[in-house]
Amino acid sequence: MARDTGPGAGAGAGTEVGARGKWWPLVAITLGNFMLIMDVTIVNTALPEIARDLDASFTSLQWVMDIYALALAALLMAAGSAADLFGRRRLYLLGLAVFALSSLACGLAPDPGLLIAARALQGVGAAAMFATNTPLLMATYAGRDRGVAFGVWGGTSGAAAAVGPVLGGVLTEGLDWRAIFLVNLPLTVFAGWLTLRTVGESTGRAGGRVDVAGVLLFTGFAGALTYGLIRGGEEGWGDAGTALSLGAAGLALVGFVLVERRLRQPMFDLGLLRSPAFVVLMVAAVVLQASAFPYLTYVAMWLQSVLGMSPIEAGLAVTPLAVAALVVGVIGGRLLSHLPPRVPVSGGLLLVGAGALLNAALVDGDAGWAALAPGLAVAGLGVGLATPVLVSAALGLVPGERAGMASGAVNTSRQFGYALGIAVLGTVFAARVRSVFTDGTAAAAAAPETAAGAPDPEAAGHAAEAISGGHAADVVAAAPPGPARHAVERLAGDAFVAGIDRVCLISGVVAVAAALLVFAVVRDERGQGDRGSAGGQGGQADEGGQGGQRDGTRSASGATGAGETRGAGGVVGAAGTGGVASAGA
């Protein structure tokens, strides 16, 4: 019989479930996790339609993708602390409600600005949902049931990342891009109803608090840095707004460090950074997300706006990464726990880098969608290898009472890595597209057969911006028929591919460098780390058997490793995680 558990379990929640219905709480919790991860990858295939319908610029599309992961990263650890204090079920239900309302707002958004604002709110709801997933599972299940529950939870995380692009294509092509958000409404209602009926309340240990100053300063740092990077790519690095934003990010970071040093119960204990291996694992989490997933955004637009594929076809074309990650996570979960953490983490990053470099080498102006498959599959193997071990490796480097904080920090780093990757690589992508297209139009203007239809430099710059934003077909259609139109069509394709090539090259080199760093710095810590990685079952069961103390020490801020180790090849990372994400998450 499922009941309220944990140090602060609430009485009288009215959630008694018979033995035959003991898995309904698992359905309620994993459904929320499924949605928050899927909402990273599901958007990729809809971006060209969003751009056309809302007349959105490339910068707006960046924010549609970025703001969700940014809100999730900024609030994840704070949501964990709040859940420990006020109740995990209560915060999960609140997250579902916010996620549902913001999904409705996304589906009804009349312009890019409101869509971006609604996506930010969606990220807030996702943070509350994700922060409470693993503590609720730990409070609900014990022993063998707990291992099964975390295995299912991890498997559905990977499945969400794999299903997202295809479902996004089906909904966009069969109905409308707005349906990718509206589909969340009946799912959140069902998940909320099931949670009220079957999931018991629990809290962390008494005496905790929410580090409000730390939350505000970290959110300010992450937001100002991301805004500065995106604005710099759009307006130039000498722009006053860019400099002001980056300066504000630096000040917020300094303020965060000062505040965290003085608090007795900080959101993040800076003492953890005294371990070089822990710092490197944080960097690895950022790089893994930034190198594996952001470039899929530009690939999805290339497939549709340049190659003319349908949203469904484009969604299927990018699934090799998520499918490979899911397969490795499911099959290799138990094997990974017997390896020193640096082996799967560095090996995974090496494969992610190799996959990105393969894409840079194979995708050219004459390539079709099939050129992506080898690189995406190799990168997916790397994601499936590295993602499940990151948290458990971090747990092996910190004291037991800081386990929840460490896992939350790694998960926050992953989401921030995705947001940072979209900002940095998007800037590189747009600059490369502009450079290649404007140089090509200048050459076309000098050729007698295409000179009459070649755009002037200012028009070429606007056209390049439109191509980056998924409007390549409109740019081609606006060119005069004949040789000039053929030249613009060829240039648009070459410019887009050049942008993808550049971001894949950077992603690959950075991932390989991070792999070498992990292998050099992170040593075998299995003697300590087994407490968080025990095959995806034992670690969680042991923690629960000790009265949930680790869980009460902010483990709500992120998975404590076991759920991810067993079959969670795409946990938030294959997003967009994602890719939450796509996700990401």
Side-chain angles (χ1 to χ4, degrees), residues 36-44 65 68-69 72 119 157 160-162 164-165 289 292-294 296-297 321-322 414-415 418 422 570-585:
L36 74 91
I37 293 174
M38 186 178 67
D39 258 58
V40 180
T41 58
I42 200 173
V43 178
N44 276 346
M65 297 298 297
Y68 179 84
L72 181 54
R119 281 284 282 172
S157 298
Q289 295 297 108
F293 305 108
L296 296 182
T297 301
L321 190 151
R414 294 199 323 218
Q415 302 310 312
Y418 180 78
I422 288 285
V571 177
V572 177
T577 160
V580 72
S582 49

Side-chain angles (χ1 to χ4, degrees), residues 71 77 121 134 166 256 295 308 313 394 545 549 560:
M77 293 186 72
L121 193 59
T134 54
V166 180
F256 177 77
Y295 70 81
E313 293 169 335
Q549 286 304 310
T560 53

Side-chain angles (χ1 to χ4, degrees), residues 1-3 14-25 197-199:
M1 180 176 295
R3 58 186 176 82
T15 59
E16 293 191 357
V17 182
R20 294 175 60 186
K22 68 179 179 180
W23 298 116
W24 283 118
R197 297 268 302 184
T198 66
V199 179

Side-chain angles (χ1 to χ4, degrees), residues 324-352:
L326 176 61
V327 169
V328 172
V330 171
I331 295 176
R334 289 187 176 276
L335 299 176
L336 295 181
S337 65
H338 299 294
L339 295 173
R342 67 172 179 166
V343 173
V345 174
S346 61
L349 281 166
L350 195 62
L351 287 171
V352 167

Side-chain angles (χ1 to χ4, degrees), residues 395-552:
L395 292 182
L397 298 168
V398 303
E401 66 273 13
R402 291 296 190 222
M405 182 181 289
S407 64
V410 172
N411 282 323
T412 295
S413 297
R414 294 199 323 218
Q415 302 310 312
F416 184 57
Y418 180 78
L420 199 61
I422 288 285
V424 174
L425 296 179
T427 296
V428 171
F429 173 78
R432 182 62 175 162
V433 170
R434 183 183 183 93
S435 173
V436 172
F437 188 79
T438 54
D439 289 349
T441 54
E449 65 273 15
T450 56
D456 60 62
E458 183 177 356
H462 291 307
E465 184 177 338
I467 292 168
S468 300
H471 300 285
D474 296 334
V475 172
V476 173
R485 178 172 292 179
H486 291 304
V488 170
E489 183 177 19
R490 178 70 185 186
L491 269 176
D494 288 346
F496 216 106
V497 165
I500 292 175
D501 175 82
R502 183 61 56 87
V503 298
C504 286
L505 180 63
I506 293 173
S507 298
V509 170
V510 171
V512 170
L516 297 175
L517 184 63
V518 169
F519 193 80
V521 176
V522 179
R523 298 301 177 186
D524 185 0
E525 297 287 348
R526 282 183 294 170
Q528 301 175 54
D530 284 349
R531 67 185 177 220
S533 64
Q537 295 184 31
Q540 289 285 7
D542 290 344
E543 289 178 298
Q546 295 171 9
Q549 286 304 310
R550 289 185 194 169
D551 181 44

